[in-house]
Amino acid sequence: MCRWVVWCGTEPILLEDLLLSPTHSLIHQSFSGGFHPGAKNANNMTLNADGFGVGWYSSHGAAIFRSITAAWNNRNLRELCSSIESSCVLAHVRAASEGSVISEQNCHPFRYGSLLFQHNGHIEGFPRIKRRIMNLLRDDIHGWVEGTTDSEACFALILNELDPTLINARCDDKRRSSVPIPAAALRDAMLNTIALITRFLADAHVTEGFSTFNFALTDGKTVVVSRYCDKAPVIPAPSLYYAFADAVELRKHLLCCQPGMRSPGHGAHCIHNQLVASDAPCKIDGIVGKKDC
């Protein structure tokens, strides 16, 4: 279990304003991730010190910075945050699953060409279905996988579910395409991946425990997120909050702790500026119904 945040819109934001300045910022969540009003503590980690990562888009395309240090004491992260602005940002602080390797390759977000992906959750019994997942992948996707996590395997499945003509040209090109991948294609690939993993777990008779899939996927112009637990509602999915407004309004909420975040959200949002987070960076203004994909 981890914590993550997404910003996507028509207006850029300084990374410092998104990741450092809010009272309950993602950096704060790396050592004290407990602010999730309306959600239970189950599946929400308070300590997320097994590395971090930031992904963003510039005129030169997608970029990621990942480290195995704790986010709260990484001086390079603070230097980058004070200098980089982007209209689309994914950031993640990691709480590694038991037995998982701590390495940069296993830190989120993951990048495939111009696509970025991050995950809060885990696949229960992943070793029992890992071979089946990897055997399903096309050669180009299989060769791209560098790490050992269930999260990267989830992203690989999503890539495998996307039409190759939509992503093959992007593999070695991190620039955002002038023609974005349709939101419906990203959504369907994500939903198909969740369905595939659920079926693989059933076939492997993995009945103990639970699996959770709070995904975030973007091509720099469209963001698709999910909130899901295979044992819901008995076991809740990790918390997820969202807000959408013009950039000035969202910055005011972030920097002044104005009300504005809502809880919990899911799915594909096609809006001018959006903020999605595992823990609410600022105070809550109302609770909306829980919906899982």
Side-chain angles (χ1 to χ4, degrees), residues 112 134 136-146 156 159-160 162-172:
Y112 182 92
M134 301 307 290
L136 191 65
L137 303 179
R138 300 193 306 269
D139 287 346
D140 56 322
I141 305 300
H142 188 281
W144 164 83
V145 174
E146 292 184 327
L159 295 172
N160 204 70
L162 286 167
D163 185 338
T165 61
L166 293 176
I167 64 171
N168 280 354
R170 302 167 185 255
C171 179
D172 297 319

Side-chain angles (χ1 to χ4, degrees), residues 43-255:
N43 291 335
N44 291 305
M45 296 296 293
T46 57
L47 181 65
N48 302 275
D50 297 321
F52 70 89
V54 183
W56 68 93
Y57 292 81
S58 71
S59 58
H60 300 288
I64 55 175
F65 170 60
R66 300 184 293 185
S67 173
I68 61 172
T69 67
W72 69 76
N73 65 3
N74 188 289
R75 298 184 67 179
N76 290 329
L77 175 61
R78 292 182 179 275
E79 286 292 319
L80 289 173
C81 284
S82 66
S83 301
I84 294 176
E85 288 186 319
S86 179
S87 59
C88 186
V89 181
L90 271 66
H92 185 281
V93 289
R94 186 178 183 223
S97 301
E98 183 178 354
S100 183
V101 175
I102 308 300
S103 69
E104 288 186 5
Q105 292 90 340
N106 285 343
C107 289
H108 311 217
F110 304 99
R111 181 178 70 83
Y112 182 92
S114 63
L115 292 172
L116 296 177
F117 172 85
Q118 60 192 12
H119 174 207
N120 175 21
H122 75 290
I123 300 176
E124 188 72 33
F126 175 58
R128 294 163 62 177
I129 67 168
K130 181 178 180 180
R131 179 184 293 275
R132 188 169 182 185
I133 291 175
M134 301 307 290
N135 286 346
L136 191 65
L137 303 179
R138 300 193 306 269
D139 287 346
D140 56 322
I141 305 300
H142 188 281
W144 164 83
V145 174
E146 292 184 327
T148 59
T149 64
D150 52 358
S151 299
E152 190 178 29
C154 290
F155 186 27
L157 271 181
I158 289 173
L159 295 172
N160 204 70
E161 286 296 308
L162 286 167
D163 185 338
T165 61
L166 293 176
I167 64 171
N168 280 354
R170 302 167 185 255
C171 179
D172 297 319
D173 187 354
K174 63 181 184 178
R175 293 172 296 177
R176 281 184 287 193
S177 171
S178 59
V179 180
I181 298 176
L186 297 174
R187 178 199 61 206
D188 291 348
M190 184 179 289
L191 292 175
N192 290 344
T193 292
I194 293 174
L196 274 173
I197 294 171
T198 302
R199 191 179 82 217
F200 292 170
L201 291 172
D203 292 345
H205 306 291
V206 178
T207 57
E208 68 280 3
F210 57 91
S211 297
T212 48
F213 306 121
N214 281 24
F215 293 153
L217 174 67
T218 184
D219 65 349
K221 295 185 177 181
T222 300
V223 175
V224 179
V225 302
S226 64
R227 178 177 185 259
Y228 179 86
C229 177
D230 63 353
K231 298 295 175 63
V234 176
I235 299 175
S239 59
L240 192 67
Y241 301 83
Y242 69 89
F244 48 92
D246 64 68
V248 172
E249 188 75 8
L250 281 181
R251 282 198 192 90
K252 182 175 69 174
H253 294 324
L254 286 170
L255 301 180

